[in-house]
Amino acid sequence: MAELTAFHFHPGASLLHTLDVRFKILSFVLISISSLKAYPLSLSILTLVIFYAILISYLPFKSILKELRYFFVLLVFIFIARAIFTPESPVADLKQSVVAWQGIYSGALVCWRLLLVVLLGLIFVSTTKPSDIRIAVEWFLTPFPFIPGKRVATMMSLIMRFVPLILDQARETVDAQRSRGVENRKNPVYRLIKLIIPLMIRTFEKADKLAVAMEARCYSEKRTNKALSSNRSDWITLFGIICLSILLVNN
Amino acid sequence: MNIIEVTNLSHRFPDGTIGIEDITLSIREGEFIVIAGRNGSGKTTFLRHLNGLLLPDTGAVRLAGVPVSRDIPRARQMVGMVFQDADSQIVGETVFDDVAFGPENLCLNECEVKRRVIKSLKAVGLIDIADQRPHLLSGGEKRRLAVAGILAMESRVLVFDEPFSDLDYPGVRQILHQALSLHKAGHTILIATHDLEKVIAHADRLLIMSDGKVIMDNAPEVIIKDVEAFGVREPCASRLGMEIESWLN
Amino acid sequence: MNTNHSIQLRKTAYASLFAALIAAGAYLSIPIGPVPIVLQNLFVLLAGLLLGSRMGLASVSVYLLAGACGFPVFAGGTGGIGRLLGPTGGYLFGYLPAVYIIGLLTEKTGLHAGFDVIAMCCGSVVIYACGLAWLKLLTGMTLNKTLIVGMYPFILGDALKIAAAVPIAKALRPIMRIKD
């Protein structure tokens, strides 16, 4: 469970907390995509913007770094892979692998871009209530004719309800089987089957009960529409973000 | 006034087994009723007819005069149900969101939803943890949250299906206290259980079910000596010939 | 009379449950040998077998959408688009066509264990194709190296998962009883 709680909403009252979610999602997507095209000069500008955003929203910087530790391992991996496998002028010959300036440069660039995208995601999640995200998703999906936005939003909140239930159930099942000596069985297929069948039967029962409980509480897709409201600062921010993305893409 | 009227109610499951058979009874507004019987005696099946989760094969259930099957949304709103497994009836990611689920389904406007949620959370004493994630609550708190979810729909009848299972002593007292204060506020309360000990001191009326039928229907003190024939344990104090005391004392 | 609505609701709950199983599967593993078997893609295979093509696709789509919006459903807790664009994002996107193909194949062939295995093999190939292509593009590795890093270590685990999925699906199909 600890892993699941790491990446979450920090309450606050900063500009980022009060912006309309829809504008935040738009900005988030725009910058994420355009940063993939950006080069060092504009990436530096974006980095400054992101650090400024972290500063003004009073996010706990230390815990952010801690939450990203797993991601840093991946970055190092990508960097090494890029540095080794990008051809052209070698600077050092390490047995068989050839390290080239070209490779170091392109590796650093890819890692920098990915780090910024992840930081952006982190800022977004930390400053936005989960229920607001759901409402925004519903709003964005409404114009699409074949996608039931309300159902998607309901499903998203059900997912977040089910995950801890499943993990608890899995722990209980594993403990119960361990106490009956399942570890003596070396056949992995046997152990997969013996873990998953009871786990899924129990969670399906829960899903069934949940469906009945939702019915008892009058669930239907015709329900209260939650209103989102935007004001001038939202539009100004969005305009700023669009300018920034154009800058990122054009260098 | 009779808020619930059940006439000749029978229900068979698709596989042919009998769920309940020929139940006729009426419930006055403001009664506190305990329904007891062994597992599989039809308590849950009966209760699920009250808000249209199950529909009768024969017979009818009327809520304040209107048959349940004619207006199911009204039945669901009037008869709120707290299920046995508190964990699997919580829908929202936060306590507040979960309580709002019912009123949102009734298409109320946002202000009204908010007003009702706050009022219900205050009534069950969970207002201070409105932003908490439900998964982290204790057993008693989870069940109180389920009660709040129903209060927010302004149900007149509250049905509890085995509300005391899996609860520790403080949890039982919390729920009992909650049920009593709702009863005092004018709600009609139905509690299904196989464990009379915890609740019978407060009931006006006791129904004993067996094999899908209502076998006994009377004031608890009249029939309490006879319940053991139907798989329900007679409370200790009653066995010893003493007066049954409330768990709240 | 309200059964239509009930079935619809139950389907929604099951699809959400599978999305949640896929999310939880990233945290669940069975410690066997040096590389623990992570259960995430097993649940993707099972979603195809048990939910069928359309609901399976809905389930995985909502899972990815929730992740893209920043809900912590991906391994390591790092939600958000960054994760989908990261080196392992291709595998996640590969779940979409995979679950649809598995569902479609089992629906077309009637529920038979042999066809289940074929369907799951096809699905796994699709997941690897998407995952490896993206990994190669992002890291610039040669095809050979990409396979060494992104496929060979996991093949044995995947074979075991497919072997386990057949009896699991057989045991669970009667319980789910979703009627169209």
Side-chain angles (χ1 to χ4, degrees):
Chain A
M1 260 321 288
E3 305 93 322
L4 277 173
T5 54
F7 214 71
H8 62 91
F9 173 60
H10 298 271
S14 70
L15 174 68
L16 278 154
H17 284 89
T18 50
L19 282 177
D20 185 337
V21 206
R22 291 166 295 178
F23 288 79
K24 267 199 269 186
I25 289 186
L26 268 182
S27 314
F28 172 47
V29 172
L30 266 177
I31 297 195
S32 296
I33 292 170
S34 52
S35 67
L36 293 179
K37 289 259 167 210
Y39 285 90
L41 179 64
S42 45
L43 276 178
S44 320
I45 298 172
L46 183 59
T47 311
L48 287 179
V49 172
I50 286 176
F51 276 102
Y52 178 69
I54 294 178
L55 270 181
I56 62 164
S57 49
Y58 296 105
L59 294 178
F61 199 74
K62 260 192 199 156
S63 71
I64 289 183
L65 285 182
K66 220 171 154 192
E67 283 165 28
L68 290 178
R69 65 192 181 283
Y70 161 81
F71 184 71
F72 283 127
V73 178
L74 271 177
L75 282 187
V76 171
F77 165 74
I78 297 181
F79 178 76
I80 294 172
R82 271 271 169 175
I84 293 177
F85 299 117
T86 307
E88 264 179 78
S89 56
V91 277
D93 208 328
L94 304 169
K95 298 216 168 124
Q96 297 140 335
S97 321
V98 176
V99 178
W101 283 119
Q102 200 71 32
I104 291 176
Y105 171 75
S106 78
L109 201 61
V110 169
C111 291
W112 194 356
R113 287 170 185 159
L114 281 176
L115 178 65
L116 291 186
V117 172
V118 166
L119 277 177
L120 275 172
L122 209 146
I123 294 173
F124 173 71
V125 174
S126 311
T127 59
T128 316
K129 267 203 231 162
S131 54
D132 285 350
I133 300 179
R134 260 189 302 116
I135 300 165
V137 167
E138 200 181 310
W139 188 89
F140 278 115
L141 291 178
T142 316
F144 295 97
F146 297 110
I147 302 178
K150 282 241 154 61
R151 202 179 310 162
V152 171
T154 306
M155 284 176 72
M156 281 170 118
S157 60
L158 288 186
I159 294 176
M160 298 320 291
R161 273 290 304 145
F162 279 135
V163 169
L165 288 184
I166 294 169
L167 291 177
D168 281 354
Q169 185 61 53
R171 197 169 305 138
E172 208 177 298
T173 309
V174 167
D175 286 349
Q177 296 187 349
R178 266 196 184 146
S179 59
R180 293 168 66 191
V182 77
E183 276 154 339
N184 294 335
R185 304 290 292 246
K186 292 295 172 219
N187 181 351
V189 174
Y190 175 87
R191 289 186 46 187
L192 275 174
I193 295 171
K194 289 291 176 228
L195 169 64
I196 288 179
I197 291 182
L199 173 66
M200 285 183 69
I201 288 179
R202 284 298 302 276
T203 50
F204 272 116
E205 276 170 7
K206 288 205 164 124
D208 265 337
K209 284 183 189 160
L210 188 87
V212 173
M214 284 169 75
E215 232 185 314
R217 288 165 78 182
C218 301
Y219 176 76
S220 73
E221 267 155 41
K222 220 179 97 225
R223 36 200 325 262
T224 305
N225 276 310
K226 288 203 188 147
L228 293 164
S229 64
S230 53
N231 55 29
R232 232 182 49 184
S233 63
D234 291 316
W235 288 102
I236 294 172
T237 312
L238 186 64
F239 179 73
I241 295 292
I242 291 174
C243 294
L244 185 63
S245 327
I246 293 172
L247 184 82
L248 286 174
V249 178
N250 284 332
N251 278 287
Chain B
M1 191 194 109
N2 288 336
I3 189 158
I4 299 177
E5 264 179 74
V6 182
T7 42
N8 304 106
L9 183 67
S10 297
H11 186 91
R12 251 170 215 278
F13 290 112
D15 61 0
T17 53
I18 293 169
I20 46 175
E21 206 177 359
D22 201 25
I23 295 181
T24 300
L25 55 89
S26 49
I27 296 171
R28 276 176 290 110
E29 178 133 40
E31 274 191 292
F32 191 122
I33 300 181
V34 170
I35 303 175
R38 57 166 69 92
N39 289 339
S41 59
K43 303 185 295 280
T44 302
T45 312
F46 171 61
L47 293 177
R48 289 190 177 190
H49 280 83
L50 300 183
N51 66 350
L53 283 175
L54 291 174
L55 293 172
D57 292 335
T58 56
V61 179
R62 286 195 175 73
L63 297 176
V66 182
V68 166
S69 50
R70 192 178 300 159
D71 190 351
I72 286 180
R74 172 179 172 273
R76 302 258 161 91
Q77 187 268 319
M78 267 181 80
V79 179
M81 205 168 268
V82 178
F83 293 84
Q84 184 171 358
D85 184 356
D87 235 325
S88 56
Q89 60 186 299
I90 297 170
V91 186
E93 293 130 86
T94 65
V95 168
F96 187 98
D97 287 348
D98 185 66
V99 180
F101 179 77
E104 280 173 8
N105 290 336
L106 300 176
C107 298
L108 303 171
N109 68 45
E110 263 186 88
C111 294
E112 177 64 10
V113 171
K114 201 170 175 192
R115 189 190 67 79
R116 286 191 181 192
V117 173
I118 290 171
K119 195 176 143 207
S120 327
L121 283 176
K122 276 187 183 150
V124 300
L126 294 177
I127 190 77
D128 295 331
I129 51 169
D131 290 326
Q132 181 79 267
R133 292 181 308 143
H135 181 65
L136 304 172
L137 304 185
S138 74
E141 285 171 336
K142 276 180 191 158
R143 217 151 295 195
R144 270 151 69 202
L145 173 57
V147 174
I150 282 155
L151 289 181
M153 297 174 72
E154 306 200 328
S155 305
R156 285 156 73 186
V157 181
L158 297 182
V159 173
F160 296 80
D161 194 354
E162 298 285 359
F164 306 117
S165 60
D166 290 343
L167 286 189
D168 56 7
Y169 181 47
V172 171
R173 285 173 53 107
Q174 282 173 19
I175 294 304
L176 199 53
H177 182 258
Q178 202 65 64
L180 289 177
S181 64
L182 291 170
H183 181 232
K184 208 174 274 174
H187 291 277
T188 309
I189 309 280
L190 275 84
I191 295 183
T193 180
H194 53 253
D195 182 11
L196 291 177
E197 193 89 41
K198 292 164 184 159
V199 66
I200 198 65
H202 303 283
D204 309 327
R205 185 172 165 191
L206 174 62
L207 301 183
I208 301 291
M209 289 188 72
S210 182
D211 295 326
K213 298 191 190 84
V214 175
I215 304 285
M216 290 194 273
D217 176 359
N218 216 323
E221 54 276 16
V222 180
I223 53 175
I224 196 86
K225 291 282 175 198
D226 307 320
V227 297
E228 298 218 340
F230 304 103
V232 181
R233 189 177 192 278
E234 183 186 348
C236 276
S238 166
R239 285 183 160 197
L240 297 171
M242 301 188 297
E243 197 183 336
I244 301 170
E245 263 200 78
S246 165
W247 271 45
L248 291 177
N249 298 330
Chain C
M1 63 143 290
N2 60 344
T3 47
N4 238 343
H5 181 234
S6 308
I7 289 172
Q8 178 65 58
L9 186 54
R10 185 147 299 158
K11 279 185 174 181
T12 307
Y14 282 175
S16 315
L17 177 63
F18 258 103
L21 282 167
I22 295 169
Y27 300 92
L28 296 174
S29 61
I30 290 192
I32 293 162
V35 187
I37 299 185
V38 178
L39 301 184
Q40 181 163 48
N41 57 349
L42 173 58
F43 287 121
V44 176
L45 303 179
L46 286 170
L49 291 183
L50 294 169
L51 292 178
S53 53
R54 288 192 54 206
M55 269 170 67
L57 191 64
S59 178
V60 174
S61 310
V62 175
Y63 166 71
L64 293 180
L65 185 65
C69 290
F71 288 99
V73 293
F74 297 147
T78 46
I81 287 192
R83 184 76 184 152
L84 287 172
L85 297 178
T88 53
Y91 296 97
L92 292 172
F93 273 114
Y95 291 165
L96 278 177
V99 78
Y100 188 78
I101 288 168
I102 294 172
L104 205 63
L105 284 177
T106 47
E107 281 157 9
K108 292 276 180 244
T109 53
L111 314 166
H112 184 278
F115 291 119
D116 282 357
V117 172
I118 296 171
M120 285 189 285
C121 290
C122 295
S124 302
V125 168
V126 171
I127 294 177
Y128 277 116
C130 298
L132 292 170
W134 180 243
L135 184 65
K136 184 172 180 307
L137 187 76
L138 201 79
T139 57
M141 291 187 288
T142 59
L143 180 63
N144 232 340
K145 300 261 179 189
T146 315
L147 289 175
I148 289 172
V149 178
M151 179 165 160
Y152 296 153
F154 310 110
I155 284 194
L156 178 66
D158 281 352
L160 295 175
K161 284 177 211 171
I162 289 176
V166 173
I168 293 172
K170 196 173 165 224
L172 288 168
R173 271 186 183 129
I175 294 171
M176 290 188 49
R177 58 172 203 290
I178 295 175
K179 290 152 258 155
D180 272 303

